[in-house]
Amino acid sequence: MKKSALQKARAAYQPKLPIALTGPVKAVAGKPTQSVANQEEIKALFPSTYGLPEIRFEKNSAPTPGKPINVGVILSGGQAPGGHNVISGLFDGVKKIHRDSRLFGFVMGPGGLVDHKYIELTAPIIDEYRNTGGFDIIGSGRTKLETKDQFDKGLEILRELDIKALVIIGGDDSNTNAAVLAEYYKANNCGVQVIGCPKTIDGDLKNELIETSFGFDTATKVYSEMIGNIERDCNSAKKYWHFIKLMGRSASHIALECALQTQPNVCIVSEEVEAKNMTLQQVVDGIADTVAARAAEGNNFGTVLIPEGLIEFIPAVKALIAELNDLLAAKGDEFAAVEPDAQRQWVIDHLSAEHASTYASLPAGVARQLTLDRDPHGNVQVSLIETEKLLSEMVGKRLADMKAEGKYVGKFSAQHHFFGYEGRCADPSNFDADYCYALGFNAACLINAGVTGYMSSVRNLVKPAVQWLAGGIPITMMMNMERRHGEMKPVIQKALVQLDGAPFRKFAEQRADWALNTCYVYPGPIQYFGPTEVCDQPSLTLQYEHKGK
Amino acid sequence: MKKSALQKARAAYQPKLPIALTGPVKAVAGKPTQSVANQEEIKALFPSTYGLPEIRFEKNSAPTPGKPINVGVILSGGQAPGGHNVISGLFDGVKKIHRDSRLFGFVMGPGGLVDHKYIELTAPIIDEYRNTGGFDIIGSGRTKLETKDQFDKGLEILRELDIKALVIIGGDDSNTNAAVLAEYYKANNCGVQVIGCPKTIDGDLKNELIETSFGFDTATKVYSEMIGNIERDCNSAKKYWHFIKLMGRSASHIALECALQTQPNVCIVSEEVEAKNMTLQQVVDGIADTVAARAAEGNNFGTVLIPEGLIEFIPAVKALIAELNDLLAAKGDEFAAVEPDAQRQWVIDHLSAEHASTYASLPAGVARQLTLDRDPHGNVQVSLIETEKLLSEMVGKRLADMKAEGKYVGKFSAQHHFFGYEGRCADPSNFDADYCYALGFNAACLINAGVTGYMSSVRNLVKPAVQWLAGGIPITMMMNMERRHGEMKPVIQKALVQLDGAPFRKFAEQRADWALNTCYVYPGPIQYFGPTEVCDQPSLTLQYEHKGK
């Protein structure tokens, strides 16, 4: 591997640890816990791992010598900056327990456990990956660990390698599965602990005790760098509206954080659209009104941030898609026989009046895509919709109407961007480098404490790293029951943007000003070596949430 | 303007100057110059400014006191990182001539000169913009200064403001116009000097004496940051081919520089495609062969870099477009009357056999776009073609054929990206911050030397900034005669990628290895405060060109 100059310089960075983890560590148990909802059901499903106490780590003045332990690690789901540091922290942590401890990485995600594909992670390998982005050290994958068969297959290789603890680095679903696996191994006295680590750039795995998932900080900083650069271009050329879609299928945390960092003219927050029961046309009209208001001041340019998941948060579109799926399932053959040019009208004629009008409002290309590009089950593929183009096209149409009515005088020309892959494997910011290293190191401490079904928890994150608090949270504590694929399942509650939360309120207070005036902020690229106010600031979401407490 | 933490920290950066410019400066004239070609024609067109000597600056032991001078400055064309530093260097340079000197900025490009729109750039304004990206200090525009009327209108405001020298910051066309303007003002004894500065992220304004245009360094570093992040994602998930289009309508310098920095699996260089007279299908087949070769090793992922201008460099496509334009001009009404579903066949039937086969090879969407989305003159709009999607779609089709023939076993799934606006207004790298500041400061020295029709020239750029050489080059020296819109015109020769040049050769030597193996390099974001090997390296293009000399 040929290394860039930055990689070489960055390899020497020593991530900071919370003070409690820097010497011998003592686990102190708090009070027993309860799940956030559905306590009885969750308790029944997790008889061996429910109700466990929160754990916090303190300095230990009378440590007992550790014994060598073999540990396995899995990267699950989409990439997030800092994964390599979780693994290097974990490595250093298990080596601190005993120098003869060993770390095995299962390859290409949870599938590696089931298929017995692994590598031993030795010091030379770990050293190649410290403070780097990506998950390429062992790869990641999306296989879900859910079945008894998988658990038993996994156990075979764990026994073969004498692995006593497994660390699963993943998002809400992966950690839910980690809890189920922990329960299974515990209930069957398999002698394998399971520990989770909170990963996702989307920022939707968080709660009172997990302040943020790792990767969110870096990814939003990369996106904000690019948004800022585009804003500056926009404000220099003064001739385009830039529609920027940001990755994240569910929550709008990424869009909101980027908006707080860059102060665009418009930022759509899916959770607000859903809460206000807005239609697609209302979203479009809102943007068009901002375009018109700026045009009235002679400013025919602007930036709009759009969360990737928007479409599925619009109640009317969600209902339309459900009805479309039913219609095409029932009358697919009849539809297929219709001449291409007449298909749009056929769909309109066969939908209920309410959904027909939503469908009719869609640009031809999107309407066509909804009926033609269906998945193997015949379902509409919402994820293929280029929401940024859909919105700009509808805004353009709306503006043409407004112009005809004399309500808009200006020029509207749009550019489109979608940022996702650009940020998921960036070199972790100092914050994520430290946070991830601490999460991994802390996971080793949880292993040493003998617990299972816990998530590695590092808190107090707006403070300098030495003041961070380290410990573990029973995963069952974060669970409730939700309907998934028609069945009630125990799952970790997804954290959506809270409209009464401090970050959204901060945004809502300022957005009218940002819309009309040009208040762009240009954050620039992540810096690793400069002054602390440039290099070591956590996300604004985290800062505002902390202040809001 | 609310400033980001980086902006605040970066404001304090003091760009470095060549040693010759740090004290009193003496202009030393070299030998008279000749244009690169068509000497007689160029000489006839520029009787007052042709054949001037090259100028170099040296330290002056016996300086004469300067007099106050009013200077104007214009930003012309697309944004490039560092424009604000050219202006701040110019400001500091004219203030060094005399503290009562004044600098005026014409607003929103050359149009500001013609329309008499300007602001005075005072110290507090300049200080707000030091070391920042963007052209927002005075805005930019694409009005071409070409006519006598424009020159005379400009002269009115120059006289009104008592401006004795005008600095035009722009690309090859803008500097060509600067030379024409210089000639006009000189021939008519207007008493206004005109100095050009070489700007363009495309990197195609360079020659023996102008080593690089400013902005190329920063923009390619931003694109390489993102390409590297995508490569790392690609190599972690191992499931996508990423097709990445890079801005630059003409030369492929950007794609080549990014390839040298990030070592993707494939990088198309338009100049090579043209030189080898390759068809679109040959380009596609080449990529498909790489996909298949990697798939044979179990690697169903990769990255492909594509220069924005590719399509217009493919001789067969260029010829097809010319014939399409003629056909639709002659039989547009007949075409319009054809049923949409039959239009493709109609076009095929009406094209010559050679071009019909090229047209038939295009995916339906692109073929449709070529005939429907025409500009106001009825011409096909090549720039609307999403080349990255066109290529990936054709590669997918080719792979399906190869699979049927048993020549390909694998999965092919593509993601698309286009990087342009993300890099044009980035905060300038240390290199561009220094280079731009020196170009601007040096322009003031040229003004003080009393010359006109010169381009600010700072050379020896692979060395530390103090060792850079400063001076001026007569713009006429870079000119030749070229056909533009049917007329022979004096223009600055555009610098395309030289296939026998060191950067391309370096790429060509390694690309077979990069194609089959995974040799990605991850440059990471531009750093401003770290070790010099991370923060202060010029582009690889510049480094290899220098070594190749």
Side-chain angles (χ1 to χ4, degrees):
Chain A
M1 179 158 62
K2 179 171 159 188
K3 289 185 185 167
S4 67
L6 176 60
Q7 249 177 302
K8 285 180 206 159
R10 189 72 179 149
Y13 179 73
Q14 180 54 51
K16 305 175 204 78
L17 275 181
I19 191 88
L21 302 186
T22 53
V25 168
K26 181 171 64 178
V28 179
K31 283 186 231 157
T33 57
Q34 295 276 348
S35 62
V36 288
N38 313 99
Q39 284 90 0
E40 288 312 309
E41 290 104 313
I42 306 284
K43 186 175 179 178
L45 288 162
F46 295 88
S48 311
T49 53
Y50 186 84
L52 297 170
E54 235 184 281
I55 282 175
R56 69 169 195 279
F57 290 121
E58 295 182 357
K59 287 213 167 249
N60 191 349
S61 51
T64 49
K67 280 185 289 186
I69 184 169
N70 289 358
V71 172
V73 64
I74 295 174
L75 289 165
S76 179
Q79 280 72 248
H84 290 160
N85 269 28
V86 179
I87 294 177
S88 60
L90 177 62
F91 180 84
D92 291 351
V94 300
K95 287 293 186 186
K96 189 182 155 199
I97 296 173
H98 194 285
R99 53 183 289 184
D100 294 333
S101 296
R102 296 167 73 188
L103 181 63
F104 295 89
F106 291 97
V107 171
M108 297 312 290
L113 177 69
V114 179
D115 304 335
H116 300 186
K117 292 195 177 142
Y118 65 91
I119 56 167
E120 181 168 357
L121 294 167
T122 57
I125 296 177
I126 293 289
D127 288 346
E128 285 287 290
Y129 289 89
R130 289 180 191 269
N131 309 311
T132 61
F135 277 10
D136 42 309
I137 187 170
I138 48 174
S140 184
R142 296 191 180 273
T143 303
K144 288 188 194 304
L145 290 179
E146 289 178 318
T147 69
K148 187 176 169 308
D149 266 12
Q150 291 173 316
F151 301 166
D152 292 339
K153 275 302 268 183
L155 194 57
E156 286 174 16
I157 187 69
L158 294 173
R159 289 210 161 125
E160 192 182 315
L161 298 172
D162 194 28
I163 289 176
K164 300 294 189 198
L166 187 62
V167 175
I168 297 179
I169 302 168
D172 52 338
D173 280 347
S174 303
N175 275 287
T176 293
N177 295 340
V180 176
L181 187 66
E183 173 66 29
Y184 182 84
Y185 286 165
K186 174 91 173 179
N188 293 282
N189 289 313
C190 302
V192 179
Q193 299 163 254
V194 181
I195 304 293
C197 277
K199 173 226 69 169
T200 166
I201 63 162
D202 295 352
D204 55 5
L205 171 51
K206 64 176 172 184
N207 49 54
E208 279 301 300
L209 298 161
I210 301 293
E211 295 180 356
T212 189
S213 53
F214 78 78
F216 176 74
D217 186 79
T218 306
T220 52
K221 281 179 173 138
V222 173
Y223 302 147
S224 296
E225 172 200 354
M226 286 187 277
I227 295 163
N229 287 356
I230 287 171
E231 284 179 338
R232 193 133 210 175
D233 202 296
C234 178
N235 192 28
S236 299
K238 301 189 192 292
K239 63 179 178 181
Y240 291 122
W241 274 84
H242 291 268
F243 285 71
I244 305 171
K245 185 169 72 175
L246 296 165
M247 192 171 259
R249 292 293 305 285
S250 181
S252 302
H253 296 292
I254 290 179
L256 181 58
E257 170 67 22
C258 292
L260 291 168
Q261 284 192 38
T262 63
Q263 305 192 168
N265 303 101
V266 178
C267 173
I268 309 292
V269 173
S270 301
E271 290 86 342
E272 184 184 29
V273 169
E274 186 174 46
K276 293 186 173 169
N277 199 15
M278 289 171 79
T279 64
L280 178 58
Q281 192 60 50
Q282 283 172 321
V283 173
V284 166
D285 292 353
I287 302 172
D289 287 346
T290 297
V291 174
R294 286 179 63 80
E297 311 254 310
N299 296 320
N300 290 296
F301 64 93
T303 48
V304 182
L305 303 189
I306 304 155
E308 188 185 10
L310 172 65
I311 285 296
E312 290 172 276
F313 276 82
I314 299 175
V317 177
K318 220 156 117 182
L320 162 66
I321 287 167
E323 196 177 303
L324 258 184
N325 280 336
D326 290 347
L327 171 64
L328 294 171
K331 305 198 173 181
D333 291 342
E334 187 183 331
F335 171 74
V338 177
E339 282 291 309
D341 283 354
Q343 283 175 343
R344 189 182 167 105
Q345 192 55 50
W346 183 91
V347 172
I348 291 171
D349 294 342
H350 285 73
L351 287 172
S352 63
E354 182 195 346
H355 299 141
S357 76
T358 303
Y359 185 81
S361 76
L362 297 174
V366 174
R368 197 178 168 81
Q369 186 182 51
L370 280 183
T371 53
L372 293 185
D373 294 333
R374 283 177 286 153
D375 72 14
H377 309 287
N379 288 322
V380 162
Q381 288 188 277
V382 186
S383 65
L384 290 184
I385 298 176
E386 295 180 291
T387 318
E388 67 284 21
K389 292 187 184 168
L390 167 67
L391 287 183
S392 85
E393 196 171 333
M394 291 182 72
V395 166
K397 199 159 162 265
R398 170 72 189 145
L399 288 169
D401 293 345
M402 287 169 73
K403 191 168 259 181
E405 295 164 21
K407 291 180 187 158
Y408 166 63
V409 184
K411 282 182 202 166
F412 176 72
S413 187
Q415 296 286 345
H416 306 96
H417 314 268
F418 173 32
F419 297 136
Y421 296 102
E422 292 80 359
R424 306 196 316 171
C425 285
D427 292 319
S429 61
N430 285 351
F431 175 86
D432 267 331
D434 293 349
Y435 181 45
C436 290
Y437 185 82
L439 282 173
F441 196 97
N442 185 61
C445 297
L446 287 168
I447 292 167
N448 200 34
V451 300
T452 190
Y454 276 69
M455 191 180 287
S456 178
S457 161
V458 175
R459 288 188 283 151
N460 210 23
L461 298 171
V462 296
K463 293 285 162 57
V466 289
Q467 296 176 37
W468 291 352
L469 306 175
I473 312 294
I475 301 177
T476 50
M477 189 181 172
M478 305 166 199
M479 289 185 156
N480 67 353
M481 300 298 292
E482 289 179 24
R483 183 168 298 279
R484 295 280 170 99
H485 304 293
E487 256 183 283
M488 290 306 284
K489 292 258 188 184
V491 297
I492 295 177
Q493 249 181 356
K494 224 184 237 308
L496 300 181
V497 170
Q498 300 296 318
L499 302 185
D500 57 357
F504 183 82
R505 279 189 287 116
K506 195 88 185 169
F507 161 70
E509 274 163 27
Q510 302 174 83
R511 61 176 156 182
D513 184 29
W514 298 352
L516 195 57
N517 304 309
T518 302
C519 307
Y520 303 151
V521 176
Y522 315 119
I526 294 176
Q527 296 297 301
Y528 301 103
F529 307 103
T532 189
E533 67 274 17
V534 176
C535 299
D536 301 311
Q537 299 305 312
S539 69
L540 292 174
T541 300
L542 206 50
Q543 293 185 46
Y544 293 143
E545 279 173 350
H546 180 79
K547 277 188 208 155
K549 273 176 192 165
Chain B
M1 180 158 62
K2 179 171 160 187
K3 288 185 186 167
S4 67
L6 176 59
Q7 248 177 301
K8 285 181 207 159
R10 188 71 179 148
Y13 180 74
Q14 179 53 51
K16 305 175 202 79
L17 275 180
I19 191 89
L21 302 186
T22 52
V25 169
K26 181 171 61 178
V28 179
K31 283 186 234 157
T33 58
Q34 295 275 349
S35 63
V36 288
N38 312 100
Q39 285 90 359
E40 288 311 309
E41 291 104 313
I42 305 284
K43 187 176 178 177
L45 287 163
F46 295 88
S48 313
T49 52
Y50 186 84
L52 297 171
E54 235 184 281
I55 283 175
R56 70 170 194 278
F57 290 120
E58 295 181 357
K59 287 215 168 245
N60 191 351
S61 51
T64 47
K67 279 185 289 188
I69 185 170
N70 288 358
V71 171
V73 63
I74 295 173
L75 290 164
S76 179
Q79 280 72 249
H84 289 160
N85 269 28
V86 179
I87 294 177
S88 60
L90 177 62
F91 179 83
D92 291 351
V94 299
K95 287 292 185 186
K96 189 183 154 198
I97 296 173
H98 195 286
R99 53 183 291 183
D100 293 333
S101 297
R102 296 167 74 187
L103 181 63
F104 295 89
F106 291 97
V107 171
M108 297 312 290
L113 177 70
V114 180
D115 303 334
H116 299 186
K117 294 195 175 144
Y118 65 91
I119 56 167
E120 181 168 359
L121 294 166
T122 56
I125 297 176
I126 293 287
D127 288 347
E128 285 287 290
Y129 290 88
R130 289 179 191 269
N131 309 312
T132 60
F135 277 9
D136 42 311
I137 187 170
I138 48 175
S140 184
R142 294 190 181 274
T143 303
K144 289 187 194 305
L145 288 179
E146 289 179 316
T147 69
K148 187 176 169 309
D149 266 11
Q150 291 174 314
F151 301 166
D152 292 339
K153 276 300 268 181
L155 194 56
E156 286 173 18
I157 187 69
L158 294 172
R159 290 211 161 124
E160 191 181 317
L161 298 172
D162 194 28
I163 290 176
K164 300 293 188 198
L166 188 61
V167 175
I168 296 179
I169 303 168
D172 52 340
D173 281 346
S174 303
N175 275 286
T176 293
N177 295 340
V180 176
L181 187 65
E183 173 66 27
Y184 182 83
Y185 286 165
K186 173 90 173 180
N188 293 283
N189 290 312
C190 302
V192 179
Q193 301 163 251
V194 181
I195 304 294
C197 278
K199 172 227 71 173
T200 165
I201 64 162
D202 295 354
D204 55 5
L205 172 52
K206 64 177 172 183
N207 50 54
E208 281 300 300
L209 298 162
I210 300 293
E211 295 180 356
T212 189
S213 54
F214 78 79
F216 176 74
D217 186 79
T218 306
T220 52
K221 281 178 173 140
V222 173
Y223 302 147
S224 295
E225 172 200 354
M226 285 187 276
I227 295 164
N229 287 355
I230 288 171
E231 284 179 340
R232 194 133 210 176
D233 202 295
C234 178
N235 192 28
S236 298
K238 298 187 193 295
K239 63 179 177 180
Y240 291 121
W241 274 84
H242 291 267
F243 284 71
I244 305 171
K245 185 170 70 176
L246 295 165
M247 192 171 260
R249 291 294 305 284
S250 181
S252 302
H253 296 293
I254 290 179
L256 181 58
E257 169 68 23
C258 291
L260 291 167
Q261 285 193 38
T262 63
Q263 306 191 168
N265 303 101
V266 177
C267 173
I268 309 292
V269 173
S270 301
E271 290 85 342
E272 185 184 29
V273 169
E274 185 175 47
K276 293 186 173 168
N277 199 15
M278 290 171 78
T279 64
L280 178 58
Q281 191 62 50
Q282 283 172 323
V283 173
V284 166
D285 291 354
I287 302 172
D289 287 346
T290 298
V291 173
R294 286 178 64 79
E297 312 252 310
N299 295 319
N300 290 296
F301 64 93
T303 48
V304 181
L305 303 190
I306 303 154
E308 187 185 10
L310 173 64
I311 285 297
E312 289 171 276
F313 275 82
I314 299 175
V317 176
K318 221 156 115 181
L320 162 66
I321 287 165
E323 196 176 302
L324 258 185
N325 281 335
D326 289 347
L327 171 65
L328 294 171
K331 305 198 174 182
D333 291 343
E334 187 183 330
F335 170 75
V338 176
E339 283 290 309
D341 283 355
Q343 284 176 342
R344 188 180 167 106
Q345 193 54 49
W346 183 93
V347 171
I348 292 171
D349 294 342
H350 286 74
L351 286 173
S352 63
E354 182 194 346
H355 298 143
S357 77
T358 303
Y359 185 81
S361 76
L362 297 174
V366 174
R368 198 179 168 80
Q369 184 181 53
L370 281 183
T371 53
L372 294 183
D373 293 334
R374 283 178 285 153
D375 72 14
H377 308 287
N379 288 322
V380 161
Q381 289 188 276
V382 186
S383 65
L384 289 184
I385 298 176
E386 295 180 293
T387 317
E388 67 283 21
K389 292 186 183 167
L390 167 67
L391 287 183
S392 86
E393 195 170 335
M394 291 182 72
V395 166
K397 198 160 162 264
R398 170 71 189 146
L399 289 169
D401 293 346
M402 289 169 74
K403 191 167 259 181
E405 295 163 20
K407 290 179 186 158
Y408 166 63
V409 184
K411 281 182 203 167
F412 176 72
S413 186
Q415 296 286 345
H416 306 96
H417 313 268
F418 173 33
F419 297 136
Y421 296 102
E422 292 80 357
R424 307 197 314 173
C425 286
D427 292 318
S429 61
N430 285 351
F431 175 86
D432 267 329
D434 292 348
Y435 181 46
C436 290
Y437 184 81
L439 282 173
F441 196 95
N442 185 61
C445 297
L446 288 167
I447 291 168
N448 200 34
V451 300
T452 190
Y454 277 69
M455 191 180 287
S456 179
S457 161
V458 175
R459 287 189 284 151
N460 209 25
L461 297 172
V462 297
K463 294 284 163 56
V466 287
Q467 297 176 39
W468 289 353
L469 305 175
I473 313 295
I475 301 177
T476 52
M477 189 180 172
M478 305 166 199
M479 288 186 156
N480 67 353
M481 300 298 292
E482 289 180 24
R483 183 168 298 278
R484 296 281 170 97
H485 303 293
E487 255 182 284
M488 291 305 285
K489 292 259 187 184
V491 297
I492 295 177
Q493 249 183 355
K494 225 184 236 306
L496 299 181
V497 170
Q498 299 297 318
L499 301 184
D500 57 357
F504 183 82
R505 280 189 286 116
K506 195 88 186 172
F507 161 71
E509 274 164 25
Q510 302 175 83
R511 62 177 156 181
D513 183 30
W514 298 353
L516 197 57
N517 304 308
T518 302
C519 306
Y520 303 151
V521 175
Y522 315 119
I526 294 176
Q527 297 297 301
Y528 301 101
F529 307 102
T532 187
E533 67 274 17
V534 176
C535 300
D536 299 312
Q537 300 304 312
S539 70
L540 292 173
T541 300
L542 204 52
Q543 293 185 46
Y544 293 144
E545 278 173 349
H546 179 79
K547 278 187 205 153
K549 274 176 192 168

